[in-house]
Amino acid sequence: MDLKGFSEASKTHYIVVPPPPNNTDDINVVNHQSLNNSIPFVPLLNGKESIDALTKRWELYNALNCQFHSKIDNLLTQTNQIVYEKIYKILSSKNTTTSKGIFTSLFLLGSDSNLNIPSPADTENKINVIVSLTPKESPNVRMMIKRSMFELLAIASERIDPMTYNVSENLKEITLLGVEYDLSLLKNFKNILKKDLKLIYNFKEADSFSFQVMDDFLQILKTMTTYDGIEVGAIFHVSTNLTNIEKNLRQKSIRLIKKNMHCVDLSKNKNFELTNKIFETFLITVDGKLHLSSSLLSFTLDKMANCDSKNKLVDTLIKILDYSLMFYFFNTSFSIFVDIPNLVFFNENYVKELVKCKTFQKFIEKLVETHEPSENILDLLENKHNALEDFFAKLLISQNPRTEYLFKVKNILETELHITNYNLIEIYYNLLLQNNKGENKILDYLVHNWPECANFEEKLAFPNVEIICQELFMLDNKSDLLSENLFPKMRSNIEDDLLSCDRLIPSIKVLGLDTNDENLFSLSHVMDPPSTYFFSLYREASAFFNIYDFYVAFKTCLPKDVILKYIMSHINNYKDNEDYNDATYLQVDILKNFLEENNNDKELFFDKLALIWFIQCVTEFKYMGIIKDEANTRKSLSGILEKQIWRGI
Amino acid sequence: MSKLKNVVHRDEELVFLDSFIDKDNQPDLKPNNVIIQGYQSCGKTYVVEEYFKQQKNEILSCIINHKEIFSWKNLLKEISRASLQTLRLKFSNYKVSNIIDPSGTEHFYLLVRFFSQLFSDCGQQIDEAARYSFYVVIDKIDQLPEIDVNTFPKLIKLHEILPSNLKFKLKFIYTVENVSFIDKYASYDIPTIVFPRYTADECLQILLSKKCLFKASSQFNEKLVDEIGIKDTVPRVKNQIVEAFLHFVYEAFYLYTGSNLQDLLDMAFLKWPQFVQILNNDNYANEVDMYKQSIDLWKNTQDYLEENIPGNNKLESQYDLSDLSKYLLVASYLCSYLQPKYDSKVFAKKSALRQGRVSYGRRAKFDFNPRHLSPGIFPLERLLAIFQAIYPYSDRDRNYTDEEKDDINNKHFSGLIPNTSNVEVYEAIGELISSKLLLPSKFLHASPLNSNTKWKVNVPWEIILEISSSLHFDITEYLQ
């Protein structure tokens, strides 16, 4: 019997992973001509941006993005590596107390159950097997045993050299069928395979298991350890707190677990350690050139505070940084100058933007105040003799004082004060804020949180500098684009989409279809989807509405004449039109039959058509959670619908 | 019969057992079924195991461990498998014929067929006149899962269905914990041996009889040799220490575990490594000193998972609710314990416009109903509405720049308070539901997307008070 195939067939569910797209890597290779169509960026500077600059911007963005992600991946794998080593050490450690009835238990705290733990290497006369169980697969003890024995045998028979040893023949020693998926397999394991076994159970999402089942299963694990040549281990992935597991198990089982228990903390983010590293990586990736605005930082902090589990926090941070970078490159023409060689693209158009910049204007004002020669100032403003360009180039080369300062603070905190529980993003945020005296708040913040910092005041002081042209290199959350895209408001989004359906459905022109094409039957030529009409009515209605009244209103707001005319024209000539494809033909045919059933009465026909749409819409809206049957009625159809809103407040 | 050396305080019961079991190979003279009744952890299985171990040359037997059984089909298979194995050991030249497959015995009639085949095959190898009993011990038959009422009668009548000319006679011994189980089958008149609970003194003695388990611990021996400087060859001191330790365990936890020896032993195993650490040169000879210095061990049972982490007394909680989820939880508590009709009065910012009775209709005095003390159910929209009413537009204690303040004010007055119903809120609700802090009113087809599902909060008052105080949110104000 093919074990793998059989166990595959007996699964209740499958996980399908879509294949990765093939052409992610060769974005940079594609030549310019085809790029014009494939770059999602649009020319900025009122559309005057040159194609080359646009391409450079796109390439630069991709390069930075790739760089950032590869660094992050490295970082994450590194942290995982450390954890792996710990887990290995525990799993492969020899049981010091060899007495029967004890199994190794390992709690992975803060795990999201995705960690793929490879089994320790086999030795000459011992096989190590890891068997995973999820709550879905474990409705009761019997199924758990059956499944795990399946897997065990499948893995074990793969590992054993079939030339020297015939597994299936030996299995017949127990039963004639060859295999029996219960504990008899374990009991006779040493007899059959002539090897010891370390069986490690991997309980994924341990806190969602039915604890009654888990409890019974732990007792069975204890029984397993009494068999000859069998060692047992159990790994629990705990995403909540350990107390959650503890309070649900019987005292007896807890004592059993405690006999040989280990904990490994997987939560990637202890004391913001990892988020700090990620943020640092980001700053380094953009070469310290870019600034982050206070609104973006406060937004990031807010969203991070809303994360329940610490693993989610890391994902959220990466996503926000990712989006902000993309938004910046999409939106800002100056973004190409992050890479200094791109200065060759600098021209008239950029000068206009640069001169408008607030901090630059302030700088000019200062120059005027200090009575600089007016020639110099004019040169700067009009870019004579490339004065402005040179000035700009100098700006680009100079270091970003904020980033520099941030790393300095980090160093002092870590090496001299041994503080690790700081949040780098919060420090950056406070760097941007100003207190009443117009000074940076950073010092107040540091001293307030870590009084030891008072001794380093001089080193930690940050001069309140104006950074010229910082607006041009600022990642921002302008117009709430990030908040809208990363954390969309569900309800208002649905409502907006329903009101203007072209947000979702591309109009006919975009699709490149000809409105006058007589061979194509599509009502979208003459009307919006019915739900759009339905929703515009719904918005006007009060909280309760009578279903019939609503239907009548719905019917009248449909563009009746246009629809009828369109349908009739198609019905009249579809018979002789050979260009129709099958689907269209069928549609029109159905409509014609429908019309004939109604004795060619157009009014009646349209009423019924509207009714069909109406019922469809009501059902759709119910599923969307926008309307419901009237509350407080026990009848299934009361004729009254209710908006799904809370009217109490 | 000779006394079993590993069994103490079960002499009388052993005599009874012995008298019911056929040792002289005259199966017709002894009962076919014997029940051994006794509550948890009073030595039933242990005694039977030891008994058959001692007699294994004279009596054919096999024991079914109840922990390996998951259903009655499984039980039948296990019976046939174990019997086959025993007989195979006994008659080493016996070859399994193709017809006999223990994993095929999924029904009683198949079991009967299996045994008649097995017994007649094996019978060919023994003398014409000899007759044997074959004992199957089924452990804790009343505790087996998925065993229905009919299984037991079928088992006890199995011997009647088997052909009478076989040279083996199938006999069962059952151990049972619950008396009510025996009462159900009282009319069958099965001989029953009752194992009483151990008394306190007996418990202590049995505990002391296990001291070799502790003496063998390598940690203990190393400690003795390395630190205290006692040679391995002085068994008296070791004995003394272990005995003292077991006495402590017994004195401290007998009241907690009762006569359940297994628990008491587990407890002793848990305490032993810690106790060994406390031992030193000064206290090992003196019981009182030992007790005084290890007093923390005896104050609680220590069967918590968290304390076991070395070098970290207080575990940092891995999983913490965010402020957003906390506000949602508070809102759901308010939903559950406030009358919906007062909502507009309590939460609406414009409640000044409609004051008094007008705002919530006629006032009727409520009858006292204990149901009002349990959390009420509410639809999800109400939770969202109340959440919006109580959620501050910024919960972070920090000063805003002027720009930000303007921004917030604008949003507030245009009704765009952040977080009102964005994805985060829904995520947080999902989190609350999966951690069972919010419960659906009915568990069948419960889903946040279904408007028929109502919800209720699953958090007691003390905890919600703690949560709301951590948010600086005065929940008592709303519940007066």
Side-chain angles (χ1 to χ4, degrees):
Chain A
M1 190 190 300
D2 181 8
L3 276 176
K4 273 229 156 145
F6 187 63
S7 66
E8 198 62 18
S10 72
K11 269 187 185 170
T12 54
H13 60 281
Y14 297 90
I15 295 170
V16 179
V17 184
N22 297 326
N23 52 355
T24 40
D25 292 11
D26 39 30
I27 287 167
N28 297 331
V29 193
V30 188
N31 61 24
H32 279 206
Q33 247 119 56
S34 63
L35 256 179
N36 275 342
N37 296 326
S38 62
I39 293 179
F41 284 6
V42 287
L44 295 170
L45 303 168
N46 300 328
K48 286 177 193 161
E49 196 181 28
S50 69
I51 300 272
D52 282 347
L54 178 71
T55 323
K56 264 271 145 29
R57 195 149 58 90
W58 170 243
E59 280 171 6
L60 187 61
Y61 162 68
N62 278 304
L64 283 182
N65 192 30
C66 284
Q67 211 183 342
F68 176 57
H69 275 279
S70 67
K71 275 182 188 168
I72 293 288
D73 286 347
N74 277 342
L75 200 66
L76 293 181
T77 41
Q78 255 175 33
T79 30
N80 277 348
Q81 203 57 45
I82 298 167
V83 169
Y84 270 139
E85 276 165 20
K86 265 193 206 165
I87 293 176
Y88 260 165
K89 219 174 173 184
I90 293 170
L91 286 186
S92 51
S93 69
K94 273 252 167 193
N95 227 343
T96 44
T97 47
T98 45
S99 57
K100 297 282 182 186
I102 296 177
F103 57 86
T104 323
S105 47
L106 168 65
F107 285 86
L108 300 180
L109 302 177
S111 156
D112 53 1
S113 303
N114 290 331
L115 193 68
N116 194 12
I117 305 169
S119 59
D122 296 349
T123 53
E124 199 171 311
N125 44 17
K126 190 171 170 190
I127 311 177
N128 296 303
V129 175
I130 291 190
V131 174
S132 297
L133 285 174
T134 62
K136 248 187 183 172
E137 293 171 341
S138 320
N140 53 40
V141 175
R142 189 163 49 91
M143 288 308 287
M144 286 164 88
I145 290 287
K146 215 168 186 174
R147 254 176 233 283
S148 51
M149 290 305 128
F150 250 141
E151 244 178 284
L152 166 68
L153 199 60
I155 297 171
S157 44
E158 250 174 37
R159 299 258 187 88
I160 286 169
D161 188 8
M163 297 302 284
T164 56
Y165 207 76
N166 193 339
V167 177
S168 57
E169 270 308 305
N170 283 286
L171 283 173
K172 285 188 181 155
E173 291 278 303
I174 326 179
T175 75
L176 291 174
L177 278 178
V179 278
E180 178 80 27
Y181 299 107
D182 56 20
L183 289 177
S184 63
L185 178 65
L186 274 188
K187 219 188 229 171
N188 299 303
F189 196 85
K190 192 153 188 189
N191 282 336
I192 308 166
L193 299 172
K194 303 280 180 280
K195 283 192 178 188
D196 284 350
L197 170 73
K198 178 149 193 173
L199 178 61
I200 297 163
Y201 275 96
N202 187 11
F203 296 100
K204 292 185 167 180
E205 299 166 42
D207 20 29
S208 317
F209 269 84
S210 154
F211 281 100
Q212 193 62 49
V213 174
M214 176 73 102
D215 214 89
D216 293 344
F217 199 73
L218 288 176
Q219 297 300 328
I220 290 177
L221 288 187
K222 187 184 167 190
T223 321
M224 286 181 188
T225 56
T226 58
Y227 299 151
D228 196 21
I230 307 279
E231 264 182 76
V232 179
I235 302 172
F236 302 88
H237 292 261
V238 184
S239 64
T240 58
N241 291 329
L242 212 48
T243 36
N244 196 25
I245 301 267
E246 183 188 302
K247 73 177 182 220
N248 285 310
L249 291 179
R250 274 183 298 178
Q251 249 15 51
K252 203 175 164 186
S253 315
I254 288 175
R255 279 195 287 266
L256 188 62
I257 291 173
K258 245 193 121 173
K259 281 181 182 168
N260 188 1
M261 181 181 136
H262 307 269
C263 279
V264 171
D265 194 347
L266 281 193
S267 64
K268 294 169 186 157
N269 196 47
K270 243 184 175 180
N271 297 334
F272 303 108
E273 210 174 303
L274 195 66
T275 48
N276 285 349
K277 272 187 191 156
I278 291 173
F279 190 63
E280 209 183 310
T281 318
F282 182 74
L283 290 180
I284 293 172
T285 310
V286 296
D287 236 358
K289 289 278 182 297
L290 296 181
H291 302 261
L292 283 92
S293 78
S294 62
S295 67
L296 176 66
L297 287 170
S298 78
F299 169 78
T300 315
L301 287 173
D302 273 342
K303 295 303 162 193
M304 278 166 68
N306 281 345
C307 292
D308 281 331
S309 70
K310 292 191 169 175
N311 287 341
K312 199 175 134 198
L313 197 131
V314 174
D315 295 339
T316 314
L317 178 66
I318 295 177
K319 208 162 71 172
I320 290 177
L321 291 177
D322 230 16
Y323 260 68
S324 60
L325 190 71
M326 180 169 72
F327 179 51
Y328 170 71
F329 269 93
F330 182 77
N331 205 19
T332 323
S333 49
F334 278 84
S335 52
I336 50 168
F337 301 121
V338 171
D339 195 17
I340 296 168
N342 283 341
L343 213 57
V344 289
F345 291 107
F346 193 82
N347 62 22
E348 281 295 296
N349 299 322
Y350 290 100
V351 173
K352 281 181 202 159
E353 291 276 315
L354 188 58
V355 173
K356 275 187 213 159
C357 181
K358 255 188 199 171
T359 40
F360 184 72
Q361 282 169 353
K362 265 191 192 168
F363 171 70
I364 297 287
E365 271 169 33
K366 248 185 206 164
L367 286 187
V368 174
E369 275 169 23
T370 51
H371 305 292
E372 284 283 316
S374 59
E375 272 176 37
N376 287 357
I377 298 175
L378 280 178
D379 279 0
L380 264 184
L381 282 177
E382 287 161 23
N383 194 21
K384 274 180 200 158
H385 321 298
N386 282 346
L388 185 59
E389 195 175 335
D390 294 344
F391 174 74
F392 188 61
K394 266 180 213 160
L395 267 184
L396 285 181
I397 293 163
S398 67
Q399 283 290 328
N400 181 344
R402 284 193 188 126
T403 323
E404 229 172 295
Y405 173 77
L406 214 56
F407 291 144
K408 198 174 87 188
V409 171
K410 183 187 155 244
N411 259 334
I412 293 178
L413 284 179
E414 270 180 12
T415 54
E416 303 201 19
L417 295 169
H418 305 293
I419 296 167
T420 49
N421 61 342
Y422 61 92
N423 185 350
L424 203 61
I425 304 174
E426 212 160 295
I427 293 177
Y428 199 137
Y429 177 68
N430 279 287
L431 195 61
L432 297 178
L433 294 187
Q434 296 185 340
N435 62 11
N436 308 332
K437 296 176 216 158
E439 290 164 355
N440 279 112
K441 284 186 73 178
I442 179 69
L443 213 57
D444 303 345
Y445 167 78
L446 288 175
V447 174
H448 179 256
N449 279 300
W450 302 282
E452 309 94 290
C453 289
N455 303 332
F456 289 84
E457 240 174 74
E458 276 176 27
K459 278 189 188 173
L460 288 173
F462 183 68
N464 201 6
V465 289
E466 280 285 331
I467 299 165
I468 304 163
C469 300
Q470 60 170 333
E471 296 95 321
L472 299 176
F473 298 98
M474 179 83 83
L475 301 181
D476 206 350
N477 183 17
K478 265 181 219 157
S479 64
D480 286 333
L481 198 79
L482 282 183
S483 22
E484 267 306 305
N485 280 305
L486 283 173
F487 305 97
K489 295 199 170 101
M490 310 269 267
R491 187 79 174 239
S492 52
N493 258 348
I494 293 179
E495 289 179 358
D496 287 349
D497 289 344
L498 283 173
L499 264 187
S500 48
C501 59
D502 32 350
R503 273 172 59 133
L504 283 185
I505 308 167
S507 66
I508 303 160
K509 274 177 199 160
V510 177
L511 286 175
L513 298 177
D514 189 3
T515 336
N516 299 322
D517 186 358
E518 292 200 344
N519 300 330
L520 196 80
F521 178 78
S522 166
L523 277 174
S524 57
H525 291 186
V526 289
M527 65 183 284
D528 288 337
S531 42
T532 314
Y533 297 96
F534 190 87
F535 185 72
S536 54
L537 272 181
Y538 166 90
R539 287 223 312 171
E540 303 299 326
S542 61
F544 290 95
F545 46 82
N546 183 303
I547 198 164
Y548 179 71
D549 292 349
F550 207 69
Y551 162 65
V552 173
F554 175 74
K555 194 173 67 183
T556 40
C557 77
L558 289 172
K560 181 179 168 188
D561 296 340
V562 188
I563 296 172
L564 272 181
K565 194 180 149 203
Y566 185 78
I567 293 177
M568 290 317 290
S569 76
H570 273 275
I571 286 180
N572 289 337
N573 62 5
Y574 87 108
K575 274 284 182 215
D576 13 281
N577 196 335
E578 285 167 5
D579 293 335
Y580 274 154
N581 61 25
D582 289 347
T584 320
Y585 190 86
L586 210 64
Q587 276 177 356
V588 182
D589 199 41
I590 289 170
L591 278 174
K592 184 172 177 255
N593 288 337
F594 191 46
L595 184 63
E596 278 167 6
E597 275 170 29
N598 292 309
N599 307 325
N600 286 327
D601 182 349
K602 280 185 196 166
E603 289 294 321
L604 194 62
F605 169 70
F606 187 74
D607 281 0
K608 287 192 176 175
L609 199 60
L611 185 63
I612 292 169
W613 283 333
F614 181 74
I615 292 171
Q616 191 188 347
C617 287
V618 170
T619 324
E620 272 172 8
F621 275 50
K622 269 185 192 170
Y623 275 107
M624 259 188 271
I626 295 182
I627 51 177
K628 61 179 177 186
D629 292 326
E630 188 195 11
N632 311 325
T633 48
R634 302 207 177 278
K635 279 176 273 174
S636 59
L637 191 65
S638 60
I640 306 262
L641 288 176
E642 190 184 345
K643 281 187 182 177
Q644 178 102 307
I645 47 169
W646 185 249
R647 286 160 298 107
I649 300 170
Chain B
M1 67 165 264
S2 61
K3 204 167 171 292
L4 297 178
K5 69 170 193 290
N6 286 337
V7 177
V8 285
H9 299 300
R10 283 289 177 242
D11 303 337
E12 204 180 18
E13 289 80 9
L14 269 174
V15 173
F16 286 139
L17 184 65
D18 197 42
S19 64
F20 282 131
I21 283 177
D22 162 41
K23 296 192 298 287
D24 315 320
N25 298 334
Q26 287 178 321
D28 295 332
L29 296 181
K30 295 289 161 90
N32 290 307
N33 296 289
V34 176
I35 293 178
I36 296 174
Q37 190 270 327
Y39 291 102
Q40 208 180 359
S41 186
C42 58
K44 303 179 296 293
T45 318
Y46 182 70
V47 167
V48 176
E49 270 174 10
E50 289 292 317
Y51 179 85
F52 281 112
K53 209 188 276 175
Q54 195 202 25
Q55 311 265 353
K56 72 179 172 209
N57 290 328
E58 288 92 48
I59 308 174
L60 291 169
S61 69
C62 61
I63 294 179
I64 313 290
N65 186 347
H66 81 284
K67 280 174 185 160
E68 293 165 12
I69 308 298
F70 317 114
S71 68
W72 63 269
K73 283 186 180 175
N74 192 222
L75 174 69
L76 300 189
K77 283 189 214 169
E78 194 62 41
I79 291 173
S80 46
R81 196 183 298 136
S83 331
L84 179 63
Q85 213 158 12
T86 316
L87 285 175
R88 209 193 268 161
L89 279 177
K90 181 84 183 170
F91 305 100
S92 46
N93 53 350
Y94 166 63
K95 278 270 178 290
V96 191
S97 74
N98 272 337
I99 313 153
I100 302 178
D101 182 4
S103 63
T105 54
E106 290 203 331
H107 281 282
F108 277 95
Y109 75 92
L110 289 169
L111 190 69
V112 171
R113 194 183 292 170
F114 169 81
F115 271 116
S116 23
Q117 182 73 38
L118 180 71
F119 286 163
S120 69
D121 279 5
C122 291
Q124 289 166 6
Q125 305 192 14
I126 53 176
D127 294 343
E128 195 64 33
R131 304 287 303 275
Y132 294 103
S133 296
F134 185 84
Y135 279 95
V136 176
V137 181
I138 300 179
D139 193 16
K140 291 189 188 155
I141 191 161
D142 59 331
Q143 305 292 318
L144 297 181
E146 297 179 34
I147 299 284
D148 55 18
V149 190
N150 290 330
T151 314
F152 187 61
K154 278 177 185 163
L155 279 176
I156 54 183
K157 292 294 176 194
L158 203 60
H159 65 97
E160 291 176 13
I161 313 172
L162 285 170
S164 54
N165 57 356
L166 293 174
K167 288 176 184 159
F168 295 92
K169 191 128 197 196
L170 187 61
K171 296 185 181 231
F172 285 104
I173 293 173
Y174 313 93
T175 68
V176 172
E177 277 185 8
N178 254 332
V179 184
S180 62
F181 181 82
I182 301 176
D183 292 347
K184 251 187 263 173
Y185 304 101
S187 57
Y188 290 103
D189 263 347
I190 303 165
T192 305
I193 306 168
V194 177
F195 278 47
R197 285 198 169 102
Y198 291 117
T199 62
D201 288 341
E202 286 168 350
C203 274
L204 179 60
Q205 281 181 29
I206 296 171
L207 199 59
L208 287 177
S209 73
K210 303 275 181 197
K211 62 190 167 197
C212 52
L213 291 177
F214 297 91
K215 275 195 276 187
S217 138
S218 58
Q219 190 199 0
F220 176 52
N221 287 324
E222 278 166 24
K223 177 104 180 177
L224 281 184
V225 175
D226 295 350
E227 276 189 38
I228 306 175
I230 301 170
K231 289 274 158 52
D232 219 12
T233 46
V234 189
R236 193 181 51 81
V237 182
K238 266 166 87 173
N239 232 352
Q240 226 173 21
I241 295 174
V242 175
E243 263 180 31
F245 167 74
L246 290 174
H247 264 108
F248 297 154
V249 172
Y250 165 76
E251 294 288 345
F253 300 116
Y254 178 71
L255 288 178
Y256 176 72
T257 59
S259 62
N260 195 333
L261 269 169
Q262 195 56 49
D263 283 356
L264 211 53
L265 260 178
D266 276 352
M267 209 82 88
F269 276 123
L270 276 187
K271 303 280 181 188
W272 180 239
Q274 300 177 51
F275 183 78
V276 169
Q277 283 191 347
I278 288 165
L279 285 179
N280 59 32
N281 234 335
D282 304 326
N283 65 10
Y284 79 93
N286 189 335
E287 268 191 36
V288 181
D289 281 353
M290 265 196 275
Y291 183 74
K292 274 183 184 164
Q293 286 174 26
S294 61
I295 187 79
D296 286 342
L297 292 181
W298 319 118
K299 276 181 181 165
N300 64 46
T301 54
Q302 283 179 322
D303 37 13
Y304 318 112
L305 289 180
E306 296 210 352
E307 275 187 348
N308 213 12
I309 296 119
N312 191 359
N313 285 335
K314 181 81 183 135
L315 187 76
E316 186 199 355
S317 65
Q318 295 303 316
Y319 179 82
D320 200 9
L321 286 183
S322 63
D323 285 354
L324 183 69
S325 318
K326 282 182 185 167
Y327 271 107
L328 273 169
L329 205 56
V330 169
S332 59
Y333 192 85
L334 290 174
C335 284
S336 268
Y337 287 98
L338 286 182
Q339 286 288 322
K341 66 177 177 178
Y342 300 118
D343 276 359
S344 59
K345 187 174 166 56
V346 179
F347 296 106
K349 300 222 160 51
K350 291 175 187 162
S351 64
L353 298 178
R354 293 163 74 202
Q355 269 189 342
R357 215 182 272 180
V358 194
S359 58
Y360 48 80
R362 276 190 69 82
R363 197 180 310 177
K365 203 165 173 6
F366 283 113
D367 297 331
F368 176 75
N369 183 343
R371 261 192 50 171
H372 293 156
L373 295 177
S374 67
I377 54 172
F378 55 85
L380 217 50
E381 315 94 83
R382 187 171 165 227
L383 168 64
L384 286 174
I386 291 185
F387 167 70
Q388 282 177 36
I390 64 170
Y391 191 72
Y393 22 83
S394 173
D395 53 329
R396 300 179 55 75
D397 44 350
R398 59 153 190 265
N399 299 329
Y400 288 96
T401 58
D402 290 342
E403 214 176 300
E404 279 177 331
K405 268 183 198 160
D406 287 347
D407 197 32
I408 287 169
N409 284 341
N410 286 338
K411 275 181 193 163
H412 179 51
F413 288 115
S414 58
L416 279 171
I417 308 167
N419 270 333
T420 45
S421 64
N422 71 5
V423 167
E424 277 181 304
V425 177
Y426 295 109
E427 273 178 2
I429 291 179
E431 195 79 47
L432 289 181
I433 291 172
S434 65
S435 52
K436 297 192 176 117
L437 295 170
L438 269 185
L439 287 183
S441 55
K442 50 183 181 201
F443 287 92
L444 198 65
H445 307 309
S447 146
L449 294 176
N450 185 348
S451 66
N452 288 331
T453 314
K454 304 277 192 292
W455 303 87
K456 63 184 174 194
V457 74
N458 187 26
V459 178
W461 170 243
E462 292 79 16
I463 290 179
I464 208 77
L465 210 57
E466 219 170 277
I467 289 175
S468 60
S469 70
S470 78
L471 294 169
H472 309 292
F473 178 84
D474 189 9
I475 193 172
T476 49
E477 206 174 84
Y478 287 89
L479 291 166
Q480 272 163 5

